[in-house]
Amino acid sequence: MTYRNVVSAVVRALAAESINSTGGCDFEPKVQCAKQKGQIVGKEASFLLDCWVFGRLHKALNQQHWRVLVAKYSTHVERKHTAIAELTRSVGSPAPKRFLHCAVVTWALPKRPGMDGKRSTNVLPAGWYEMDNWSDEPYPIKTQERWRREIRKALEREVDEALLLAQVLLDAEGLIETKAA
């Protein structure tokens, strides 16, 4: 099995830990069950590969790159919130702490078009997306926009770096599809 691209590999690997009820890549019982029937194929093989990629990326990437990928792509709520909190402490910005925290949270949990948070647990209440609520002190709107833009650019730059490193790693393992032109 190969992944279409590095983003799909990262998303599947990060989702693998949320698949079972205990939270974690609990692939051993599934593998043992599959072995009893013969070789590991189908969903079990895909799940095993996703768990392997999760472990490989977690070990190979530095903590900051891992955090930024978890904050952006993970479906594991607790790990996502932990990564957001850690990113808030590590991102440099002249913005006040509360503003910085809100900027990181809304970057990691963006407002989806046409969604009011009724069907998705990863959508914040509407007030979170209004920059005027991000600080108790009145700052000019241009300053707030500049702070938010710089924070998001820094986070996206880190995501790009992490995905590039993941691409190199997964290419070396032959796990990314290569299409002939």
Side-chain angles (χ1 to χ4, degrees):
M1 180 191 142
T2 57
Y3 298 100
R4 286 180 297 143
N5 55 44
V6 69
V7 174
S8 65
V10 168
V11 169
R12 284 185 55 107
L14 289 171
E17 72 172 337
S18 296
I19 289 176
N20 65 41
S21 61
T22 59
C25 289
D26 184 22
F27 59 88
E28 288 186 27
K30 292 176 181 16
V31 170
Q32 296 303 323
C33 180
K35 279 184 181 175
Q36 293 171 1
K37 299 174 188 171
Q39 75 181 90
I40 302 170
V41 295
K43 290 190 305 184
E44 285 83 10
S46 297
F47 182 67
L48 181 61
L49 182 61
D50 293 340
C51 291
W52 182 86
V53 169
F54 177 96
R56 188 76 171 96
L57 291 176
H58 191 190
K59 187 174 182 179
L61 298 176
N62 68 39
Q63 287 184 342
Q64 186 68 7
H65 287 139
W66 180 251
R67 277 186 209 120
V68 78
L69 290 178
V70 169
K72 180 144 178 119
Y73 297 115
S74 182
T75 56
H76 191 285
V77 176
E78 186 178 319
R79 290 196 199 279
K80 188 172 188 103
H81 288 290
T82 301
I84 290 168
E86 291 169 353
L87 284 175
T88 299
R89 289 189 293 274
S90 68
V91 172
S93 173
K97 286 184 180 183
R98 182 172 163 203
F99 187 95
L100 177 62
H101 178 71
C102 291
V104 173
V105 169
T106 56
W107 169 80
L109 299 167
K111 187 174 184 179
R112 306 285 184 211
M115 295 183 87
D116 295 326
K118 294 177 183 170
R119 303 186 84 198
S120 175
T121 58
N122 280 337
V123 177
L124 300 168
W128 271 88
Y129 298 101
E130 296 175 18
M131 276 193 305
D132 291 337
N133 297 333
W134 294 4
S135 177
D136 294 329
E137 310 250 343
Y139 291 101
I141 191 72
K142 293 287 187 192
T143 301
Q144 291 180 30
E145 289 173 349
R146 186 183 77 245
W147 286 342
R148 181 182 64 183
R149 184 175 51 252
E150 288 172 358
I151 291 165
R152 289 182 177 194
K153 276 185 184 177
L155 291 168
E156 287 300 328
R157 201 171 23 255
E158 288 185 30
V159 167
D160 291 343
E161 290 172 11
L163 289 175
L164 185 62
L165 293 170
Q167 175 82 38
V168 170
L169 178 74
L170 297 175
D171 276 343
E173 299 290 344
L175 296 175
I176 303 293
E177 283 182 10
T178 54
K179 294 181 181 177

